[in-house]
Amino acid sequence: MRRLFYLLREAWANMRANRTTTVVAILTTAFTLSCVGIFLLLYVNLRSAAGWLQEDIKIMVYLEDQLTRDAVVELEDRLKADRMVAATVFISKEQALGEFRAQFPEDSHLLEGLGQNPLPASFVVTLTPQFRSPDAVKRWTERVRTIGGIAKVDYNQEWIDALAGLIRYIELIAIGVGVILSTAAVTIIGNTIRLTLFSRREEVEILRLIGATRWFIRIPYLLEGAVLGACGSALSLLILKGGFELFRQQISATGRLSGIEHMITFFPVSVCLALVLVGVGLGFAGSFVSLRRFGEGRA
C-alpha cells in the first residue's frame, strides 16, 4: 500500500512540476479526440436514423388487375403465412384512388380522362424486426416478385442504400482520422513524459543506482501519461457535449428541420466511458513509447 501511495504521489509531483506542458498535453489531446468524436457522433446518429428507416419500412406489393377476389384472398393468406411477414394491409383500387386524390389534389384531374381507375390494388407488407436489414428485405422482395399474380414489388431501397453507403464512408473517415489523431495524441503525451524525464533524469539515475527496478521507476510516468489521456478525453467529451447542445438549440430556435432536435442523441454513458478508457490507453501508450526511447540506457 505504501508503495502504491508513493507511485501515485510521484505521478502527481511530475504533473505539478511541469504544469505548462501538462496543460498543453491535456488541451491538445482534448482537441484531437474531439475531432474524432465529431465523426463518431455523426456516425452514431446516422446509424440511429438508418434503424428508424428500417423499423418504418413498408413494402408495397402491387397486384395484377385481372386477379379475382378469391385469388387475392389466397395471395394474402400466402403472404401472412410467410415467417418474415409481420403484417399485411390490403388496399383496393378504389382506396388507392382515394388516397391519391387526397395526397395530390392538384393532380387528380390527370386520372379523370382515363375512363377507368388505372391504379392497382396492393398489399402494404411489414416485415418482422429480425428481417428488416437491407439484405433481408432485398432477398424477400426478389422471392415475392416470382409469385404469380404480383405485378410489382416496391419499397424505399434507394434511400436505405444511400444512407448505408453514407454511413460506410463516415465510418471509414472516422477510422482514418481516428488513427491519425490518435497517433498525434500518443506523440504529444510521449513528448510531455520525455520532458519530465529529462527534468528529473538525475533522480531517475539515483533510483537506478540504489537498486530500484526498471518498472518501479517507470510506473509513475506511465500513470502520469494515463492521467493526461483520461483528462484530455474527459475534456473532449465536455467540448462535444457543449457543441451538441448548442447545435440542438440553434435548430430549435430557427424552426427549420422541426423535430430533428429530439431525434439526435449524444453518446450513451457506455460510449463515454469507452472514450475515457481510450484516452487512458493512448496516454499509457505515449508514456511507454517515451520511456522505451529514453530509458533503455538509463532506467
Side-chain angles (χ1 to χ4, degrees):
M1 191 67 185
R2 181 179 299 178
R3 179 174 295 185
L4 177 61
F5 179 75
Y6 168 80
L7 295 174
L8 293 174
R9 186 182 63 187
E10 285 296 302
W12 175 248
N14 291 342
M15 289 187 289
R16 289 191 61 186
N18 300 275
R19 294 185 184 90
T20 302
T21 54
T22 296
V23 171
V24 170
I26 291 175
L27 291 177
T28 310
T29 303
F31 173 76
T32 56
L33 293 179
S34 295
C35 293
V36 178
I38 290 172
F39 286 98
L40 184 59
L41 194 58
L42 183 61
Y43 171 75
V44 167
N45 281 279
L46 284 176
R47 283 293 299 268
S48 297
W52 296 330
L53 281 178
Q54 289 181 8
E55 288 294 323
D56 195 45
I57 187 171
K58 306 293 183 185
I59 303 176
M60 300 299 300
V61 179
Y62 296 102
L63 309 181
E64 296 177 354
D65 287 337
Q66 66 271 21
L67 284 183
T68 63
R69 179 59 185 171
D70 291 339
V72 172
V73 172
E74 182 180 350
L75 187 55
E76 183 175 13
D77 292 338
R78 182 172 180 178
L79 291 174
K80 288 182 177 180
D82 192 321
R83 66 187 183 92
M84 296 178 63
V85 176
T88 61
V89 177
F90 177 70
I91 299 177
S92 65
K93 293 171 64 69
E94 292 73 20
Q95 289 175 318
L97 181 61
E99 290 181 3
F100 180 85
R101 287 173 174 170
Q103 294 179 13
F104 308 100
E106 297 180 356
D107 298 327
S108 59
H109 66 280
L110 298 175
L111 302 178
E112 295 177 357
L114 298 178
Q116 60 180 358
N117 182 2
L119 300 178
S122 62
F123 288 109
V124 180
V125 179
T126 304
L127 298 183
T128 54
Q130 62 267 35
F131 295 111
R132 290 178 185 172
S133 66
D135 291 338
V137 173
K138 186 176 182 180
R139 288 195 302 269
W140 187 85
T141 55
E142 289 176 350
R143 177 164 56 85
V144 170
R145 285 192 182 104
T146 62
I147 299 176
I150 294 179
K152 183 181 179 183
V153 181
D154 193 18
Y155 67 105
N156 53 347
Q157 178 64 36
E158 293 182 0
W159 281 98
I160 295 177
D161 289 343
L163 185 57
L166 179 60
I167 290 172
R168 284 193 294 270
Y169 282 125
I170 292 177
E171 186 176 1
L172 292 175
I173 293 173
I175 291 173
V177 172
V179 170
I180 294 171
L181 296 182
S182 296
T183 303
V186 169
T187 303
I188 292 164
I189 294 174
N191 288 334
T192 302
I193 300 301
R194 193 175 304 161
L195 289 173
T196 303
L197 284 167
F198 274 113
S199 66
R200 306 189 67 179
R201 59 186 179 275
E202 293 181 358
E203 297 179 27
V204 172
E205 184 65 21
I206 291 171
L207 287 172
R208 189 180 68 84
L209 290 174
I210 64 176
T213 64
R214 179 177 297 180
W215 282 108
F216 183 81
I217 298 172
R218 290 182 172 187
I219 285 175
Y221 300 99
L222 293 173
L223 291 175
E224 180 182 352
V227 170
L228 291 176
C231 291
S233 183
L235 182 58
S236 72
L237 286 173
L238 292 177
I239 294 172
L240 288 171
K241 181 64 175 177
F244 177 79
E245 293 299 334
L246 181 62
F247 176 72
R248 287 213 306 184
Q249 290 177 6
Q250 289 296 322
I251 292 178
S252 180
T254 56
R256 298 177 181 177
L257 302 175
S258 179
I260 194 174
E261 68 272 13
H262 303 296
M263 298 172 64
I264 58 177
T265 58
F266 193 67
F267 298 129
V269 176
S270 58
V271 175
C272 292
L273 292 176
L275 289 175
V276 173
L277 291 177
V278 168
V280 171
L282 292 176
F284 188 89
S287 297
F288 185 77
V289 171
S290 181
L291 285 165
R292 286 198 62 182
R293 291 179 178 177
F294 178 84
E296 290 301 328
R298 292 178 176 269

